[in-house]
Amino acid sequence: MRERMDAFAYTALPGRVVFGTGTLAQLSEEMERLECRRAFVLSTPQQADKARELLSDLGEHGAGLFDGATMHTPVEVTERALAIARELEADCTVAFGGGSTIGLGKAIALRADLPQICIPTTYAGSEMTPIIGQTENGVKTTQRTEKVLPEVTIYDVDLTLTLPALLSATSGLNAMAHAVEALYAKDRNPVIALLAEEAVSALASALPKVVADGVDRRARTDALYGAWLCGMCLGSVGMALHHKLCHVLGGAFDLPHAETHAIVLPHALAYNAAAAQSAAAALSRALGTQDPAQALFDLAGKLGAPRALRQIGMPEDGIAPAAELALENPYWNPRPIGRDAIETLIARAWAGEPPSALR
């Protein structure tokens, strides 16, 4: 039975979504809706060629391109991009890519209040949130402000057809983490609970098909739909232990964002499941299992995603320091956060061991 809540607060976030196939062609129209005429296109170096094509297609409405977006939104990269945007007299940003690029657009909006159009090419979900994470001197900090919420998101299934299998898997699992934690968030509500359960179900069903056949349009559509819902979850309620751990690990060791989330998720869920029984029940329904933490660990293995932090570059001697950092300014969590238990959790995630409740 789904949890019933007699009292809750729900804030609907403003933002326009254009979803479908071939929707990239509507970019100029969406700029017109925002009354913008000089778009500053953003991408990572890996997406530079496609971003350059997009800039060319914009014609006189393309102000320029910055292709230096990178993981964890380093402040120095943002300052460099912002200086170029001002020099070009850009009146909006168009973020073409995944979480790194969208994060850069948000960081520019935070400082210059430029309208944002996001064109996601992965399943990260950041485009649906008023949350920004930034890294300076090896420390990643986050804040929530509607100033960084993108005005328009264009989801084009066509852009995901060439997303490599491994990146599809890790970014999809990263998205699922948003929905999982939304189910036991301190400020959870029935609207987001419904979206979260649907999101996990859609992604869990679609990702194996996407990995098996990357041009399966039905599976790609379902995965992108699930990722959108996950992003809405992340943007609407607070997160907990899982996201705190991933922010600590990513910022301290410069670990790849999506892979870190994919690895930590089953362990954080196992830690919290007994203290969040309604969330565990929803995930059991979505995943068709009585042990959702183990199911997520098994899903990562089936998808070929990494399941050990050591695989993605975390040093073993970083386990204890990471546990200490996780206890600094901790996020609210349904289960108390104990120093020894968290160190053990990180150690198991480092080694790639199955998730454990750590009682």
Short mmCIF file of all heavy atoms in Angstrom, two decimals, residues 16-74:
data_model
loop_
_atom_site.label_atom_id
_atom_site.label_comp_id
_atom_site.label_asym_id
_atom_site.label_seq_id
_atom_site.Cartn_x
_atom_site.Cartn_y
_atom_site.Cartn_z
N ARG A 16 9.59 25.31 -18.53
CA ARG A 16 8.91 24.77 -19.70
C ARG A 16 9.69 23.56 -20.20
O ARG A 16 10.92 23.58 -20.30
CB ARG A 16 8.83 25.84 -20.80
CG ARG A 16 8.22 25.37 -22.11
CD ARG A 16 8.06 26.57 -23.04
NE ARG A 16 7.78 26.16 -24.41
CZ ARG A 16 6.58 25.82 -24.87
NH1 ARG A 16 5.55 25.83 -24.05
NH2 ARG A 16 6.42 25.48 -26.13
N VAL A 17 8.98 22.48 -20.53
CA VAL A 17 9.58 21.25 -21.04
C VAL A 17 9.03 20.98 -22.44
O VAL A 17 7.81 20.99 -22.64
CB VAL A 17 9.28 20.06 -20.12
CG1 VAL A 17 9.73 18.75 -20.76
CG2 VAL A 17 9.97 20.24 -18.78
N VAL A 18 9.93 20.74 -23.37
CA VAL A 18 9.56 20.32 -24.72
C VAL A 18 10.14 18.94 -24.91
O VAL A 18 11.36 18.76 -24.93
CB VAL A 18 10.11 21.30 -25.78
CG1 VAL A 18 9.72 20.84 -27.18
CG2 VAL A 18 9.63 22.72 -25.52
N PHE A 19 9.30 17.93 -25.03
CA PHE A 19 9.74 16.53 -25.04
C PHE A 19 9.30 15.85 -26.33
O PHE A 19 8.16 16.02 -26.76
CB PHE A 19 9.13 15.79 -23.84
CG PHE A 19 9.65 14.38 -23.64
CD1 PHE A 19 10.58 14.12 -22.66
CD2 PHE A 19 9.20 13.33 -24.43
CE1 PHE A 19 11.06 12.82 -22.45
CE2 PHE A 19 9.67 12.04 -24.25
CZ PHE A 19 10.61 11.79 -23.26
N GLY A 20 10.19 15.06 -26.92
CA GLY A 20 9.79 14.29 -28.10
C GLY A 20 10.97 13.93 -28.97
O GLY A 20 12.12 13.90 -28.52
N THR A 21 10.69 13.67 -30.22
CA THR A 21 11.71 13.33 -31.22
C THR A 21 11.83 14.49 -32.21
O THR A 21 10.82 15.01 -32.68
CB THR A 21 11.31 12.05 -31.96
OG1 THR A 21 11.28 10.96 -31.02
CG2 THR A 21 12.31 11.73 -33.07
N GLY A 22 13.06 14.91 -32.48
CA GLY A 22 13.27 16.02 -33.39
C GLY A 22 12.99 17.38 -32.80
O GLY A 22 12.89 18.38 -33.53
N THR A 23 12.87 17.47 -31.50
CA THR A 23 12.49 18.72 -30.85
C THR A 23 13.62 19.76 -30.85
O THR A 23 13.37 20.94 -30.59
CB THR A 23 12.05 18.46 -29.40
OG1 THR A 23 13.03 17.64 -28.75
CG2 THR A 23 10.71 17.75 -29.36
N LEU A 24 14.84 19.34 -31.14
CA LEU A 24 15.94 20.31 -31.21
C LEU A 24 15.64 21.42 -32.22
O LEU A 24 16.10 22.56 -32.06
CB LEU A 24 17.24 19.59 -31.59
CG LEU A 24 18.51 20.45 -31.64
CD1 LEU A 24 18.78 21.09 -30.28
CD2 LEU A 24 19.70 19.61 -32.09
N ALA A 25 14.87 21.09 -33.22
CA ALA A 25 14.51 22.07 -34.26
C ALA A 25 13.71 23.23 -33.70
O ALA A 25 13.56 24.27 -34.36
CB ALA A 25 13.72 21.38 -35.37
N GLN A 26 13.20 23.10 -32.48
CA GLN A 26 12.39 24.16 -31.88
C GLN A 26 13.22 25.14 -31.06
O GLN A 26 12.65 26.04 -30.41
CB GLN A 26 11.29 23.54 -31.01
CG GLN A 26 10.34 22.65 -31.78
CD GLN A 26 9.28 22.03 -30.90
OE1 GLN A 26 8.72 22.70 -30.03
NE2 GLN A 26 9.00 20.76 -31.10
N LEU A 27 14.54 25.01 -31.09
CA LEU A 27 15.39 25.87 -30.26
C LEU A 27 15.18 27.35 -30.56
O LEU A 27 15.00 28.17 -29.65
CB LEU A 27 16.87 25.49 -30.44
CG LEU A 27 17.88 26.41 -29.75
CD1 LEU A 27 17.62 26.49 -28.25
CD2 LEU A 27 19.31 25.91 -30.01
N SER A 28 15.20 27.73 -31.82
CA SER A 28 15.04 29.15 -32.17
C SER A 28 13.69 29.68 -31.69
O SER A 28 13.57 30.81 -31.20
CB SER A 28 15.18 29.35 -33.68
OG SER A 28 16.50 29.09 -34.09
N GLU A 29 12.66 28.85 -31.83
CA GLU A 29 11.33 29.24 -31.38
C GLU A 29 11.31 29.47 -29.87
O GLU A 29 10.67 30.42 -29.38
CB GLU A 29 10.33 28.15 -31.76
CG GLU A 29 8.90 28.42 -31.33
CD GLU A 29 7.97 27.28 -31.71
OE1 GLU A 29 8.29 26.52 -32.64
OE2 GLU A 29 6.91 27.16 -31.05
N GLU A 30 12.02 28.59 -29.14
CA GLU A 30 12.05 28.75 -27.69
C GLU A 30 12.85 29.99 -27.28
O GLU A 30 12.51 30.65 -26.29
CB GLU A 30 12.64 27.49 -27.03
CG GLU A 30 11.76 26.26 -27.19
CD GLU A 30 10.35 26.47 -26.66
OE1 GLU A 30 10.20 27.10 -25.58
OE2 GLU A 30 9.39 26.02 -27.31
N MET A 31 13.89 30.31 -28.04
CA MET A 31 14.61 31.57 -27.78
C MET A 31 13.68 32.76 -27.97
O MET A 31 13.70 33.71 -27.17
CB MET A 31 15.82 31.69 -28.71
CG MET A 31 17.01 30.84 -28.32
SD MET A 31 18.44 31.13 -29.41
CE MET A 31 18.77 32.88 -29.12
N GLU A 32 12.87 32.72 -28.99
CA GLU A 32 11.94 33.81 -29.25
C GLU A 32 10.94 33.97 -28.10
O GLU A 32 10.60 35.09 -27.71
CB GLU A 32 11.19 33.57 -30.56
CG GLU A 32 12.06 33.73 -31.80
CD GLU A 32 11.30 33.43 -33.08
OE1 GLU A 32 10.05 33.30 -33.01
OE2 GLU A 32 11.95 33.31 -34.14
N ARG A 33 10.49 32.85 -27.56
CA ARG A 33 9.56 32.89 -26.43
C ARG A 33 10.19 33.61 -25.23
O ARG A 33 9.49 34.27 -24.46
CB ARG A 33 9.15 31.48 -26.01
CG ARG A 33 8.23 30.77 -26.99
CD ARG A 33 7.98 29.34 -26.53
NE ARG A 33 7.28 29.31 -25.26
CZ ARG A 33 5.95 29.28 -25.12
NH1 ARG A 33 5.18 29.25 -26.19
NH2 ARG A 33 5.40 29.27 -23.92
N LEU A 34 11.51 33.44 -25.09
CA LEU A 34 12.22 34.10 -23.99
C LEU A 34 12.68 35.50 -24.35
O LEU A 34 13.29 36.18 -23.53
CB LEU A 34 13.45 33.26 -23.59
CG LEU A 34 13.18 31.89 -22.97
CD1 LEU A 34 14.49 31.14 -22.77
CD2 LEU A 34 12.44 32.03 -21.64
N GLU A 35 12.42 35.91 -25.60
CA GLU A 35 12.85 37.20 -26.12
C GLU A 35 14.37 37.34 -26.06
O GLU A 35 14.92 38.40 -25.72
CB GLU A 35 12.17 38.35 -25.35
CG GLU A 35 10.65 38.33 -25.48
CD GLU A 35 9.98 39.50 -24.78
OE1 GLU A 35 10.67 40.21 -24.02
OE2 GLU A 35 8.76 39.69 -24.99
N CYS A 36 15.05 36.24 -26.41
CA CYS A 36 16.52 36.22 -26.44
C CYS A 36 17.00 36.18 -27.89
O CYS A 36 16.37 35.53 -28.75
CB CYS A 36 17.04 35.00 -25.69
SG CYS A 36 16.72 35.07 -23.92
N ARG A 37 18.13 36.85 -28.15
CA ARG A 37 18.62 36.97 -29.53
C ARG A 37 20.10 36.61 -29.69
O ARG A 37 20.59 36.52 -30.80
CB ARG A 37 18.37 38.39 -30.06
CG ARG A 37 16.90 38.71 -30.22
CD ARG A 37 16.66 40.17 -30.55
NE ARG A 37 15.23 40.43 -30.78
CZ ARG A 37 14.34 40.58 -29.81
NH1 ARG A 37 14.73 40.52 -28.55
NH2 ARG A 37 13.08 40.81 -30.08
N ARG A 38 20.81 36.42 -28.56
CA ARG A 38 22.24 36.11 -28.65
C ARG A 38 22.57 34.98 -27.68
O ARG A 38 22.78 35.22 -26.48
CB ARG A 38 23.09 37.35 -28.35
CG ARG A 38 22.98 38.42 -29.44
CD ARG A 38 23.94 39.58 -29.19
NE ARG A 38 25.33 39.16 -29.14
CZ ARG A 38 26.08 38.89 -30.21
NH1 ARG A 38 25.54 38.96 -31.43
NH2 ARG A 38 27.34 38.56 -30.08
N ALA A 39 22.56 33.77 -28.21
CA ALA A 39 22.76 32.58 -27.38
C ALA A 39 24.23 32.24 -27.24
O ALA A 39 24.96 32.16 -28.23
CB ALA A 39 22.01 31.40 -27.97
N PHE A 40 24.66 32.01 -26.01
CA PHE A 40 26.01 31.56 -25.70
C PHE A 40 25.93 30.05 -25.49
O PHE A 40 25.37 29.58 -24.49
CB PHE A 40 26.52 32.27 -24.45
CG PHE A 40 27.95 32.02 -24.11
CD1 PHE A 40 28.94 31.94 -25.09
CD2 PHE A 40 28.34 31.89 -22.79
CE1 PHE A 40 30.28 31.72 -24.75
CE2 PHE A 40 29.67 31.68 -22.44
CZ PHE A 40 30.64 31.60 -23.42
N VAL A 41 26.44 29.27 -26.44
CA VAL A 41 26.32 27.81 -26.40
C VAL A 41 27.43 27.24 -25.52
O VAL A 41 28.60 27.62 -25.64
CB VAL A 41 26.38 27.21 -27.81
CG1 VAL A 41 26.29 25.69 -27.76
CG2 VAL A 41 25.25 27.79 -28.67
N LEU A 42 27.07 26.30 -24.67
CA LEU A 42 28.01 25.66 -23.74
C LEU A 42 28.10 24.18 -24.03
O LEU A 42 27.09 23.54 -24.37
CB LEU A 42 27.56 25.86 -22.29
CG LEU A 42 27.21 27.29 -21.86
CD1 LEU A 42 26.62 27.28 -20.46
CD2 LEU A 42 28.45 28.17 -21.92
N SER A 43 29.30 23.61 -23.86
CA SER A 43 29.48 22.16 -24.01
C SER A 43 30.76 21.74 -23.32
O SER A 43 31.57 22.57 -22.91
CB SER A 43 29.52 21.74 -25.48
OG SER A 43 30.79 22.01 -26.04
N THR A 44 30.96 20.45 -23.23
CA THR A 44 32.26 19.91 -22.83
C THR A 44 33.14 19.79 -24.07
O THR A 44 32.64 19.89 -25.21
CB THR A 44 32.10 18.51 -22.22
OG1 THR A 44 31.50 17.65 -23.21
CG2 THR A 44 31.21 18.54 -20.98
N PRO A 45 34.44 19.56 -23.90
CA PRO A 45 35.28 19.35 -25.08
C PRO A 45 34.81 18.18 -25.94
O PRO A 45 34.91 18.22 -27.17
CB PRO A 45 36.67 19.08 -24.47
CG PRO A 45 36.64 19.78 -23.15
CD PRO A 45 35.23 19.62 -22.66
N GLN A 46 34.27 17.15 -25.29
CA GLN A 46 33.83 15.96 -26.02
C GLN A 46 32.63 16.24 -26.92
O GLN A 46 32.42 15.57 -27.92
CB GLN A 46 33.48 14.84 -25.02
CG GLN A 46 34.66 14.31 -24.23
CD GLN A 46 35.06 15.21 -23.07
OE1 GLN A 46 34.32 16.12 -22.71
NE2 GLN A 46 36.23 14.97 -22.50
N GLN A 47 31.82 17.22 -26.55
CA GLN A 47 30.61 17.56 -27.32
C GLN A 47 30.82 18.78 -28.21
O GLN A 47 29.87 19.29 -28.81
CB GLN A 47 29.45 17.85 -26.34
CG GLN A 47 29.01 16.65 -25.52
CD GLN A 47 27.91 15.89 -26.19
OE1 GLN A 47 27.94 15.69 -27.40
NE2 GLN A 47 26.92 15.47 -25.42
N ALA A 48 32.06 19.24 -28.32
CA ALA A 48 32.32 20.51 -29.01
C ALA A 48 31.86 20.52 -30.46
O ALA A 48 31.29 21.51 -30.94
CB ALA A 48 33.81 20.85 -28.93
N ASP A 49 32.09 19.44 -31.19
CA ASP A 49 31.72 19.41 -32.61
C ASP A 49 30.22 19.56 -32.79
O ASP A 49 29.76 20.34 -33.64
CB ASP A 49 32.22 18.11 -33.26
CG ASP A 49 33.72 18.08 -33.43
OD1 ASP A 49 34.36 19.15 -33.32
OD2 ASP A 49 34.28 16.98 -33.65
N LYS A 50 29.45 18.82 -32.00
CA LYS A 50 27.99 18.92 -32.11
C LYS A 50 27.49 20.28 -31.66
O LYS A 50 26.54 20.84 -32.23
CB LYS A 50 27.33 17.80 -31.31
CG LYS A 50 27.57 16.41 -31.89
CD LYS A 50 26.86 15.34 -31.07
CE LYS A 50 27.09 13.96 -31.67
NZ LYS A 50 26.43 12.89 -30.87
N ALA A 51 28.13 20.82 -30.63
CA ALA A 51 27.74 22.14 -30.15
C ALA A 51 28.04 23.20 -31.20
O ALA A 51 27.28 24.17 -31.37
CB ALA A 51 28.46 22.45 -28.84
N ARG A 52 29.13 23.02 -31.93
CA ARG A 52 29.49 23.97 -32.99
C ARG A 52 28.45 23.92 -34.11
O ARG A 52 28.09 24.95 -34.68
CB ARG A 52 30.89 23.64 -33.50
CG ARG A 52 31.61 24.80 -34.16
CD ARG A 52 33.08 24.52 -34.36
NE ARG A 52 33.82 24.57 -33.09
CZ ARG A 52 34.41 23.54 -32.52
NH1 ARG A 52 34.35 22.34 -33.07
NH2 ARG A 52 35.07 23.69 -31.39
N GLU A 53 27.96 22.72 -34.42
CA GLU A 53 26.90 22.59 -35.41
C GLU A 53 25.64 23.33 -34.95
O GLU A 53 24.97 24.00 -35.74
CB GLU A 53 26.58 21.11 -35.65
CG GLU A 53 27.67 20.33 -36.36
CD GLU A 53 27.30 18.86 -36.50
OE1 GLU A 53 26.10 18.53 -36.29
OE2 GLU A 53 28.19 18.04 -36.79
N LEU A 54 25.34 23.17 -33.67
CA LEU A 54 24.17 23.84 -33.11
C LEU A 54 24.32 25.35 -33.21
O LEU A 54 23.38 26.07 -33.60
CB LEU A 54 23.99 23.42 -31.65
CG LEU A 54 22.85 24.07 -30.87
CD1 LEU A 54 21.52 23.69 -31.47
CD2 LEU A 54 22.90 23.65 -29.41
N LEU A 55 25.51 25.84 -32.89
CA LEU A 55 25.78 27.27 -33.00
C LEU A 55 25.59 27.76 -34.44
O LEU A 55 24.99 28.81 -34.68
CB LEU A 55 27.20 27.57 -32.51
CG LEU A 55 27.65 29.02 -32.58
CD1 LEU A 55 26.83 29.88 -31.62
CD2 LEU A 55 29.14 29.12 -32.26
N SER A 56 26.08 26.97 -35.39
CA SER A 56 25.95 27.33 -36.80
C SER A 56 24.48 27.38 -37.21
O SER A 56 24.05 28.28 -37.95
CB SER A 56 26.71 26.33 -37.66
OG SER A 56 26.54 26.60 -39.03
N ASP A 57 23.70 26.41 -36.72
CA ASP A 57 22.27 26.37 -37.06
C ASP A 57 21.53 27.60 -36.52
O ASP A 57 20.50 28.00 -37.11
CB ASP A 57 21.63 25.10 -36.50
CG ASP A 57 22.09 23.84 -37.23
OD1 ASP A 57 22.63 23.97 -38.34
OD2 ASP A 57 21.92 22.75 -36.67
N LEU A 58 22.03 28.18 -35.44
CA LEU A 58 21.38 29.36 -34.87
C LEU A 58 21.61 30.61 -35.71
O LEU A 58 20.90 31.60 -35.54
CB LEU A 58 21.88 29.59 -33.44
CG LEU A 58 21.33 28.65 -32.37
CD1 LEU A 58 22.05 28.88 -31.05
CD2 LEU A 58 19.83 28.84 -32.19
N GLY A 59 22.60 30.56 -36.58
CA GLY A 59 22.86 31.70 -37.45
C GLY A 59 23.18 32.96 -36.67
O GLY A 59 23.99 32.95 -35.74
N GLU A 60 22.50 34.04 -37.01
CA GLU A 60 22.79 35.33 -36.36
C GLU A 60 22.41 35.35 -34.88
O GLU A 60 22.81 36.26 -34.14
CB GLU A 60 22.02 36.43 -37.08
CG GLU A 60 20.52 36.30 -37.02
CD GLU A 60 19.80 37.42 -37.76
OE1 GLU A 60 20.49 38.23 -38.41
OE2 GLU A 60 18.56 37.48 -37.67
N HIS A 61 21.66 34.34 -34.43
CA HIS A 61 21.27 34.28 -33.02
C HIS A 61 22.28 33.51 -32.16
O HIS A 61 22.06 33.35 -30.97
CB HIS A 61 19.88 33.68 -32.88
CG HIS A 61 18.80 34.51 -33.50
ND1 HIS A 61 18.59 35.83 -33.17
CD2 HIS A 61 17.89 34.22 -34.47
CE1 HIS A 61 17.60 36.32 -33.88
NE2 HIS A 61 17.16 35.37 -34.68
N GLY A 62 23.35 33.01 -32.78
CA GLY A 62 24.40 32.33 -32.02
C GLY A 62 25.53 33.31 -31.71
O GLY A 62 26.24 33.77 -32.60
N ALA A 63 25.69 33.64 -30.43
CA ALA A 63 26.71 34.62 -30.04
C ALA A 63 28.10 34.01 -30.01
O ALA A 63 29.09 34.67 -30.33
CB ALA A 63 26.37 35.21 -28.67
N GLY A 64 28.21 32.75 -29.61
CA GLY A 64 29.51 32.12 -29.50
C GLY A 64 29.43 30.80 -28.75
O GLY A 64 28.34 30.38 -28.32
N LEU A 65 30.58 30.14 -28.59
CA LEU A 65 30.64 28.81 -27.98
C LEU A 65 31.73 28.77 -26.93
O LEU A 65 32.84 29.28 -27.14
CB LEU A 65 30.93 27.76 -29.06
CG LEU A 65 31.32 26.35 -28.59
CD1 LEU A 65 30.15 25.68 -27.89
CD2 LEU A 65 31.82 25.51 -29.76
N PHE A 66 31.43 28.16 -25.80
CA PHE A 66 32.44 27.82 -24.79
C PHE A 66 32.37 26.32 -24.60
O PHE A 66 31.35 25.78 -24.17
CB PHE A 66 32.16 28.54 -23.47
CG PHE A 66 33.18 28.23 -22.40
CD1 PHE A 66 34.37 28.93 -22.34
CD2 PHE A 66 32.95 27.22 -21.46
CE1 PHE A 66 35.33 28.64 -21.36
CE2 PHE A 66 33.88 26.93 -20.49
CZ PHE A 66 35.08 27.64 -20.44
N ASP A 67 33.46 25.61 -24.95
CA ASP A 67 33.43 24.14 -24.89
C ASP A 67 34.33 23.59 -23.78
O ASP A 67 34.84 22.49 -23.89
CB ASP A 67 33.84 23.55 -26.25
CG ASP A 67 35.25 23.95 -26.68
OD1 ASP A 67 35.96 24.61 -25.89
OD2 ASP A 67 35.63 23.60 -27.81
N GLY A 68 34.46 24.35 -22.69
CA GLY A 68 35.33 23.93 -21.60
C GLY A 68 34.61 23.48 -20.35
O GLY A 68 35.23 23.41 -19.27
N ALA A 69 33.33 23.16 -20.44
CA ALA A 69 32.61 22.67 -19.26
C ALA A 69 33.25 21.38 -18.75
O ALA A 69 33.69 20.54 -19.54
CB ALA A 69 31.14 22.43 -19.60
N THR A 70 33.27 21.21 -17.44
CA THR A 70 33.90 20.03 -16.87
C THR A 70 33.18 19.62 -15.59
O THR A 70 32.32 20.35 -15.08
CB THR A 70 35.39 20.27 -16.60
OG1 THR A 70 36.03 19.05 -16.28
CG2 THR A 70 35.59 21.27 -15.46
N MET A 71 33.53 18.45 -15.06
CA MET A 71 32.85 17.89 -13.90
C MET A 71 32.94 18.81 -12.68
O MET A 71 33.93 19.50 -12.47
CB MET A 71 33.47 16.54 -13.52
CG MET A 71 33.29 15.45 -14.51
SD MET A 71 33.91 13.87 -13.83
CE MET A 71 35.61 14.27 -13.43
N HIS A 72 31.89 18.76 -11.87
CA HIS A 72 31.84 19.39 -10.55
C HIS A 72 31.88 20.92 -10.59
O HIS A 72 32.06 21.57 -9.57
CB HIS A 72 32.96 18.85 -9.65
CG HIS A 72 33.02 17.35 -9.58
ND1 HIS A 72 31.92 16.59 -9.22
CD2 HIS A 72 34.02 16.48 -9.86
CE1 HIS A 72 32.26 15.31 -9.26
NE2 HIS A 72 33.51 15.22 -9.66
N THR A 73 31.74 21.52 -11.77
CA THR A 73 31.59 22.96 -11.95
C THR A 73 32.66 23.75 -11.17
O THR A 73 32.34 24.49 -10.22
CB THR A 73 30.18 23.43 -11.52
OG1 THR A 73 29.21 22.48 -11.96
CG2 THR A 73 29.85 24.78 -12.12
N PRO A 74 33.92 23.63 -11.56
CA PRO A 74 34.97 24.41 -10.89
C PRO A 74 34.72 25.91 -11.05
O PRO A 74 34.36 26.38 -12.14
CB PRO A 74 36.25 23.98 -11.61
CG PRO A 74 35.92 22.69 -12.28
CD PRO A 74 34.46 22.77 -12.62
#
